[in-house]
């Protein structure tokens, strides 16, 4: 869900301003995250050596061309299967109705809208992680209420509010590959004792330093320890102990703000009407005038144990409060847990959390609290190709009572303001982060920022229409390091653009607005794009077609187009089974219209997908969905 408002009015430097001089060279429950440090001796730009030491995999498929039709396209030799679309029952629940006539109670048992981040958790069978049986955790970011109800937002009611809330959150589903060879198909296991829906009405625990703080207490929760629901669930992360981290992004859009918002509310984009969801009309929690502290209870990272369906999810406050896009987890050299985090808004920041204690595979109970005690940092990127992680810790870097932060809880509730104060670097919509599985090198998508007007030597574009991908190597190849070296991996663009500043430097297939980012186990970098509906196939993007998924070789820099999506969609959410022979990917908001809400009188005006491509899908509405991609010869997808 795009939010073009800018909330950061601080005087901190922009990323573009740091190019004043050219940069210097610069899992599963029973398994550890596989982040090796064998390439630690490599210099930051010694990438050919990286290929030799890590066995950089080949990208063997023939890339496909751009497309603007209403279908999913993949390379020859690959197959696409529809697995789980909005409205499908998560377990033994009711079927989707083509006229969107399902009730709020039925929606609570069905796939939510707008699939986003996702991860496959394999069962362990015969002592090995299975590649044919597992649990999928899938985010449902937001709703298009023009499609969700037969008559859209007309005669808005309590029942429509409940249905909208129940179409948010997360799905946990059990999936299994059945049959023989390429005649086999993935299916949902129904009923499943693991399957569940977590929605905007599910009770969640609040834990960590901000739990119980005065700013977290409400009339309904006088202890500040329980909140109903999670919203705006965007990208995600996975812990070494086998849990799922779901990130609350544009939470501000659900709240009706004050006519004269406070400075803190403005910093988080809380304004009258929000993004037009109208929940506040029938749920006073989302009306800031009625319940001023409820907004502080959203904007967190939510941890979900997919293997324990009776266990309440938890909001981990030590990871800070902002518009979380992702929470990418890795391990430091000494076993401490490191979480890379992004704040997805123009001119916002990159963060890193380092746990105090170490991960211990032999002590599952110990690991449960690792994300509650540690230090949150924010990134500063300097013009010489170096950078630092600045601690957001009470008593350090000017963060104290005299600067308006009474304690650590207040720093975490007002994370953006703390990052402003310590001098973090303004970035161009930081989104997904991916850590190379062999080198530990870190990559981050900066999707775009049309509101940036400054130019600089290494990034001469006066506005960042197409976005770019940056990367950094932590000092000593240790994820817990306090400093790093960085450079730009690729400037996105259209090489045929009339404006030389918008052509980019892609070696391979053109793309823009990179969003999703993920490394497979072999080290291929998968890039998923999110060109907004009002830019797709027009103006600067007229030659780039529908949103797409590409595969990059980080050694050579070559990038090839692997998938194109249907009209109006975003490609987001990606995961893979352990043997890499099945790849899951999400198609979000096919047929999206400018403004984000469809006309209920013409629901198929923007797209007829997936029913127009998959006969087994119920039509009547375009539907976000999870797909499975396989090779006909049974090989590794992407190779």
């Amino acid at each position: 869900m795009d939010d073009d408002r800018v909330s950061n009015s601080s005087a901190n430097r922009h990323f573009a301003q740091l190019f004043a001089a050219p940069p210097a060279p610069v899992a599963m429950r029973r398994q550890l995250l596989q982040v090796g440090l064998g390439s630690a001796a490599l210099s930051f730009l010694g990438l050919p050596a990286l290929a030799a030491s890590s066995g950089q995999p080949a990208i063997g498929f023939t890339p496909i061309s751009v497309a603007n039709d209403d279908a999913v396209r993949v390379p020859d030799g690959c197959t696409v299967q529809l697995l789980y679309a909005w409205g499908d029952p998560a377990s033994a629940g009711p079927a989707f109705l083509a006229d969107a006539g399902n009730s709020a109670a039925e929606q609570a048992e069905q796939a939510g809208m707008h699939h986003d981040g996702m991860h496959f958790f394999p069962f362990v069978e015969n002592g090995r992680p299975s590649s044919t049986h597992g649990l999928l955790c899938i985010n449902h970011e937001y709703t298009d209420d023009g499609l969700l109800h037969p008559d859209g937002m007309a005669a808005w009611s309590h029942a429509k509010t409940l249905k909208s809330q129940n179409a948010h959150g997360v799905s946990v589903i059990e999936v299994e590959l059945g049959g023989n060879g390429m005649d086999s198909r993935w299916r949902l296991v129904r009923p499943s004792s693991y399957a569940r829906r977590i929605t905007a009405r599910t009770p969640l625990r609040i834990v960590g330093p901000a739990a119980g703080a005065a700013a977290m207490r409400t009339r309904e929760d006088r202890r500040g320890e329980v909140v109903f629901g999670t919203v705006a669930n965007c990208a995600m992360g996975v812990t070494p102990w086998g849990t799922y981290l779901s990130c609350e992004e544009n939470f501000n859009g659900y709240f009706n703000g004050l006519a004269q918002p406070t400075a803190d509310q403005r910093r988080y984009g809380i304004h009258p009407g929000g993004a037009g969801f109208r929940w506040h009309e029938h749920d006073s929690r989302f009306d800031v005038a009625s319940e001023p502290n409820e907004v502080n209870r959203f904007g967190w990272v939510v941890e979900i144990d997919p293997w324990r369906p009776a266990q309440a999810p938890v909001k981990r406050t030590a990871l800070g409060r902002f518009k979380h896009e992702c929470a990418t987890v890795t391990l430091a050299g000494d076993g401490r847990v490191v979480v890379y985090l992004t704040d997805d808004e123009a001119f916002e920041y990159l963060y890193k959390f380092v746990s105090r204690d170490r991960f211990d595979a032999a002590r599952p109970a110990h690991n449960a609290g690792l994300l509650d005690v540690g230090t949150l940092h924010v990134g500063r990127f300097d013009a010489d190709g170096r950078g630092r992680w600045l601690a957001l810790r009470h008593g350090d870097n000017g963060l104290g009572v005299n600067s308006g932060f009474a304690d650590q809880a207040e720093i975490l509730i007002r994370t953006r303001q703390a990052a402003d104060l310590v001098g973090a670097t303004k970035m161009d919509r930081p989104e997904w982060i991916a850590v190379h599985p062999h080198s530990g090198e870190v990559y981050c998508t900066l999707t775009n920022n049309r509101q940036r007007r400054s130019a600089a030597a290494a990034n001469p574009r006066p506005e960042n229409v197409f976005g770019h991908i940056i990367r950094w190597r932590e000092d000593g190849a240790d994820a817990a390091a306090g400093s790093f070296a960085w450079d730009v991996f690729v400037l996105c663009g259209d090489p045929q653009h009339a404006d030389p500043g918008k052509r980019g430097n892609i070696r391979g297939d053109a793309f823009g607005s990179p969003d999703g980012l993920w490394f497979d186990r072999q080290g291929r970098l998968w890039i998923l794009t999110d060109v907004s509906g009002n830019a797709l196939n027009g103006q600067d993007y007229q030659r780039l077609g529908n949103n797409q998924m590409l595969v990059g070789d980080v050694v050579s820099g070559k990038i090839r187009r692997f998938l194109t999506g249907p009209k109006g969609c975003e490609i987001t959410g990606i995961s893979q089974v352990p043997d890499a022979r099945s790849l899951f990917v999400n198609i979000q908001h096919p047929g999206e219209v400018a403004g984000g809400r469809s006309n209920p009188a013409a629901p198929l005006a923007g797209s007829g997908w997936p029913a127009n491509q998959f006969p087994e899908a119920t039509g009547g509405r375009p539907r976000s969905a999870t797909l499975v991609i396989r090779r006909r010869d049974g090989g590794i997808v992407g190779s």
Side-chain angles (χ1 to χ4, degrees), residues 59-66 74-76 508-509 550-551 559-563:
I59 300 174
F61 63 88
T62 300
I64 65 174
S65 61
V66 297
V74 294
D76 290 342
D509 295 325
L550 310 99
V551 184
I559 296 173
R560 295 182 180 180
R561 186 178 299 107
F562 180 86
L563 175 150

Side-chain angles (χ1 to χ4, degrees), residues 331-407:
L331 293 176
D334 61 3
R336 285 181 291 165
V337 178
V338 175
V339 187
Y340 292 105
L341 307 142
T342 54
D343 189 349
D344 182 8
E345 189 176 287
F347 306 119
E348 290 302 337
Y349 306 128
L350 282 164
Y351 297 85
K352 181 172 81 172
F353 171 85
V354 182
S355 70
R356 182 192 66 186
D357 301 322
R358 302 177 183 181
F359 169 70
D360 186 345
R363 300 169 59 201
H366 159 80
N367 299 323
L370 288 176
L371 300 183
D372 293 334
V373 184
T375 302
L376 184 65
H377 305 76
V378 66
R380 192 187 80 189
F381 291 74
D382 294 329
D384 60 357
R386 298 286 301 166
R388 291 182 55 199
W389 294 108
L390 308 171
L392 300 180
R393 183 169 49 210
H394 198 258
D396 292 347
N397 295 317
L399 296 172
V401 175
N402 292 338
S403 57
F405 296 92
D407 52 23

Side-chain angles (χ1 to χ4, degrees), residues 127-470:
R128 298 176 61 84
S130 174
S131 290
T132 61
H133 189 198
L135 304 179
L136 266 179
C137 289
I138 303 169
N139 287 347
H140 302 292
E141 186 181 7
Y142 65 104
T143 56
D144 178 347
D145 288 287
L147 297 176
L148 184 63
H149 319 283
D151 59 349
M153 301 193 78
W156 191 250
S157 65
H158 180 65
K160 287 185 174 182
T161 299
L162 292 180
K163 186 176 181 182
S164 180
Q165 291 176 338
N166 286 340
H168 284 71
V170 179
S171 285
V172 181
I173 57 175
E174 183 177 351
V175 294
E176 186 172 37
L177 180 64
N180 297 315
M182 287 310 296
D183 292 329
S184 59
R185 289 178 64 82
W186 283 90
R187 68 177 185 92
L188 267 70
V189 176
R190 296 186 174 112
S192 169
S193 61
Y194 293 99
R196 61 169 161 162
R197 279 297 324 285
I198 297 159
T199 75
R201 301 189 63 80
T202 301
L204 285 80
R205 295 171 51 226
I206 302 171
V207 300
M216 299 289 278
R217 300 172 193 163
T218 65
R219 289 192 300 271
E220 292 184 352
D221 176 25
R222 297 185 181 277
R223 299 179 65 179
E225 296 177 350
V226 177
V227 59
F228 286 96
T230 179
V231 300
N233 302 85
C234 201
M236 36 60 68
V238 184
T239 69
W241 49 95
T243 60
Y244 182 74
L245 303 179
S246 181
C247 298
E248 296 182 329
E249 189 197 11
N250 291 313
F251 68 94
N252 60 306
Y254 298 87
F255 288 87
N256 179 46
L258 303 175
Q260 298 295 326
T262 66
D264 285 342
Q265 291 166 357
R266 284 196 302 272
R267 187 65 184 86
Y268 279 89
I270 311 299
H271 57 83
F277 287 98
R278 300 178 64 181
W279 289 3
H280 66 282
E281 296 177 21
H282 298 280
D283 188 342
S284 61
R285 292 187 302 140
F286 294 93
D287 183 34
V288 173
S290 299
E291 187 49 83
N293 283 349
E294 187 72 16
V295 70
N296 297 330
R297 293 144 63 86
F298 291 85
W300 303 99
V301 173
V302 177
E303 185 173 12
I304 299 167
D305 190 334
W307 304 101
R308 298 181 178 178
Q311 185 178 87
V314 295
K315 297 195 178 187
R316 299 284 182 191
T317 64
L319 302 181
R321 173 176 165 265
F322 42 89
K323 292 185 181 181
H324 285 274
E325 175 76 15
C326 77
T328 302
V329 184
T330 187
L331 293 176
D334 61 3
R336 285 181 291 165
V337 178
V338 175
V339 187
Y340 292 105
L341 307 142
T342 54
D343 189 349
D344 182 8
E345 189 176 287
F347 306 119
E348 290 302 337
Y349 306 128
L350 282 164
Y351 297 85
K352 181 172 81 172
F353 171 85
V354 182
S355 70
R356 182 192 66 186
D357 301 322
R358 302 177 183 181
F359 169 70
D360 186 345
R363 300 169 59 201
H366 159 80
N367 299 323
L370 288 176
L371 300 183
D372 293 334
V373 184
T375 302
L376 184 65
H377 305 76
V378 66
R380 192 187 80 189
F381 291 74
D382 294 329
D384 60 357
R386 298 286 301 166
R388 291 182 55 199
W389 294 108
L390 308 171
L392 300 180
R393 183 169 49 210
H394 198 258
D396 292 347
N397 295 317
L399 296 172
V401 175
N402 292 338
S403 57
F405 296 92
D407 52 23
Q408 187 63 24
E410 188 165 355
I411 289 173
L412 296 170
I413 294 169
R414 302 171 59 229
T415 305
R416 282 183 167 183
Q417 294 91 324
D420 293 342
L421 189 147
V422 304
T425 302
K426 292 181 176 181
M427 309 294 274
D428 285 353
R429 282 192 63 200
E431 298 226 29
W432 289 47
I433 289 178
V435 179
H436 194 287
H438 308 303
S439 70
E441 205 168 59
V442 189
Y443 290 68
C444 177
T445 51
L446 300 173
T447 295
N448 55 50
N449 184 359
R450 294 173 176 82
Q451 300 176 73
R452 177 160 60 80
R453 296 294 178 261
S454 57
N459 189 357
R461 296 177 285 193
E463 56 178 336
N464 193 357
V465 171
F466 289 102
H468 55 291
I469 301 174
I470 60 168

